[in-house]
Amino acid sequence: MLRIIPRNDAAVQGNWQKELANAITDPKDLLQYLQLDPENYQLDIAARKLFPMRVPLSFVQRMQVGDPKDPLLLQVLPQREEFIQAAGFTEDPLEEHQSAVPGLLHKYKSRVLFILRGGCAVNCRYCFRRHFPYQDNSPSKAGWQQAIDYIANDSNINEVILSGGDPLMANDEQLAWLVEQLEQISHLTRLRIHSRLPVVLPNRITTELVELLSNTRLQSIMVSHINHPNEVNEPLRTAFSKLQQAGVTLLNQGVLLKDINDDVDTLTALSEALFSANILPYYLFLLDKVAGASHYDIDEQQAVLIMRDLYQRLPGFLVPRLAREQAGKNSKTPIDIGLS
């Protein structure tokens, strides 16, 4: 039996945790909401066993009803192509399944990735951590102390990147406790938060979160994950404006995805939409070759041609850097697009 999903439930939408609890997890419910016949998607729906579906109603409401090719829908709906076992695509494309201590990845000398929470508000089908063993790398609040001690004992580390899953799945009280501990480590100067949660649930940018990031001695950076201009709506602009006014640096990382944003018109509109929300384009990544996501992949040379066109359309500060992340490398690998 399909779940009836309200189109405008103010009681639910007023609280990010309630919205999260009411996220759509059944592909049939999502298809019904968008007036698409689930009977035409049986082979696609089967892919949910490879990776669960989860998408908040706030994000679904930005999709075009009746459009099976909607670019936001294609990011979250299970697809039959996920069963393809493509050469070169693995469960751990960045070789992250070994951590320094539980919940802490130390790939780069001066910064560490703190996997604060394992869950996400939305399960993007191309996620490079769709196979990540979060059960072994998502310590509780008590377990965070081991990671904090590791950071405190290495003076080369000056930046902590909160990641996941999604770090903003932690509540404001938990975040406040962690930031307080990190502030006491004298060699730390920056706190970076990588999150998609405020994109799909803009009301996650609470007054308490804004005050926390405004008052910490650490320089605060929020790195959002937005792939398409249709993801940027007025609630998102309002939420990110609060962060910007509080002195938080706003950046965006996107992924180049086949049939979603792999053309210069879409990427131009994306950069303009980001800037309208006070967010600067930062990176545009080539797809990490994670098993189950090969149908999203774009050839590197095609990406280069798109980027060359993008430089003709936009001022340089609105053009993200095309890059690839590779296992074993001590930095992102920029892609030379041949402009010099």
Side-chain angles (χ1 to χ4, degrees):
M1 182 176 179
L2 297 178
R3 180 161 65 103
I4 303 300
I5 304 168
R7 290 193 174 273
N8 186 20
D9 188 337
V12 169
Q13 293 182 353
N15 181 291
W16 73 270
Q17 290 164 314
K18 288 183 179 179
E19 280 198 71
L20 189 61
N22 283 276
I24 302 173
T25 57
D26 189 330
K28 293 181 180 178
D29 290 339
L30 175 59
L31 292 165
Q32 180 200 40
Y33 182 93
L34 295 173
Q35 299 178 22
L36 298 169
D37 188 354
E39 290 301 316
N40 298 329
Y41 290 85
Q42 293 306 309
L43 295 178
D44 301 290
I45 291 171
R48 69 186 296 197
K49 69 181 181 182
L50 301 177
F51 186 42
M53 192 196 84
R54 188 181 203 185
V55 54
L57 183 58
S58 169
F59 194 66
V60 176
Q61 288 172 333
R62 291 170 239 177
M63 300 177 187
Q64 181 62 48
V65 171
D67 183 3
K69 300 297 184 182
D70 181 272
L72 277 59
L73 174 65
L74 294 179
Q75 295 181 56
V76 301
L77 183 70
Q79 297 178 52
R80 67 192 72 186
E81 289 85 357
E82 294 177 44
F83 289 102
I84 297 172
Q85 297 182 6
F89 284 75
T90 68
E91 291 191 354
D92 185 15
L94 302 185
E95 297 178 4
E96 289 188 330
H97 291 196
Q98 296 296 321
S99 54
V101 298
L104 197 73
L105 301 177
H106 193 179
K107 297 193 293 184
Y108 309 133
K109 182 177 180 180
S110 66
R111 53 205 185 276
V112 291
L113 201 72
F114 198 128
I115 299 179
L116 192 59
R117 293 292 297 269
C120 289
V122 60
N123 285 351
C124 303
R125 309 306 297 180
Y126 52 86
C127 179
F128 69 96
R129 290 194 183 126
R130 58 184 282 166
H131 305 287
F132 190 80
Y134 287 113
Q135 67 277 7
D136 301 323
N137 287 281
S138 297
S140 64
K141 181 177 176 180
W144 293 346
Q145 191 61 54
Q146 187 177 359
I148 293 168
D149 291 342
Y150 179 97
I151 296 166
N153 289 327
D154 188 341
S155 60
N156 291 309
I157 300 169
N158 63 15
E159 180 175 5
V160 172
I161 303 168
L162 302 185
S163 185
D166 197 305
L168 292 186
M169 292 285 279
N171 63 39
D172 293 333
E173 181 181 357
Q174 293 169 325
L175 289 169
W177 181 88
L178 178 60
V179 171
E180 182 180 356
Q181 308 310 306
L182 295 176
E183 284 179 321
Q184 297 175 29
I185 302 174
S186 60
H187 51 263
L188 288 183
T189 61
R190 289 189 300 275
L191 176 70
R192 198 183 336 163
I193 301 174
H194 284 217
S195 181
R196 188 147 164 79
L197 207 155
V199 177
V200 298
L201 292 175
N203 61 11
R204 178 61 188 93
I205 305 300
T206 61
T207 299
E208 292 75 15
L209 178 60
V210 172
E211 290 179 351
L212 172 64
L213 298 180
S214 175
N215 293 329
T216 177
R217 73 163 183 84
L218 301 171
Q219 290 181 299
S220 299
I221 304 104
M222 180 73 72
V223 182
S224 57
H225 176 181
I226 301 171
N227 297 315
H228 195 277
N230 292 359
E231 297 178 38
V232 180
N233 61 0
E234 196 55 39
L236 184 149
R237 291 188 189 92
T238 299
F240 277 80
S241 178
K242 295 176 183 177
L243 291 171
Q244 191 265 342
Q245 292 172 17
V248 179
T249 299
L250 304 177
L251 303 173
N252 186 70
Q253 293 186 161
V255 181
L256 194 56
L257 300 166
K258 182 177 175 60
D259 297 329
I260 292 171
N261 62 6
D262 58 330
D263 64 271
V264 68
D265 290 338
T266 300
L267 291 177
T268 298
L270 172 59
S271 283
E272 295 286 4
L274 289 170
F275 197 60
S276 76
N278 300 302
I279 303 169
L280 277 178
Y282 178 33
Y283 276 120
L284 181 64
F285 287 112
L286 296 178
L287 183 77
D288 294 317
K289 294 185 180 297
V290 63
S294 61
H295 53 292
Y296 289 108
D297 198 23
I298 294 295
D299 178 79
E300 182 175 314
Q301 188 54 42
Q302 181 184 350
V304 166
L305 294 176
I306 293 172
M307 292 302 295
R308 288 177 184 173
D309 286 343
L310 198 59
Y311 268 99
Q312 295 180 19
R313 297 280 193 94
L314 292 168
F317 67 89
L318 286 185
V319 180
R321 286 171 281 184
L322 183 66
R324 184 190 295 280
E325 193 156 11
Q326 295 177 294
K329 299 288 186 179
N330 58 8
S331 68
K332 306 288 192 299
T333 302
I335 306 299
D336 182 6
I337 66 171
L339 288 181
S340 58

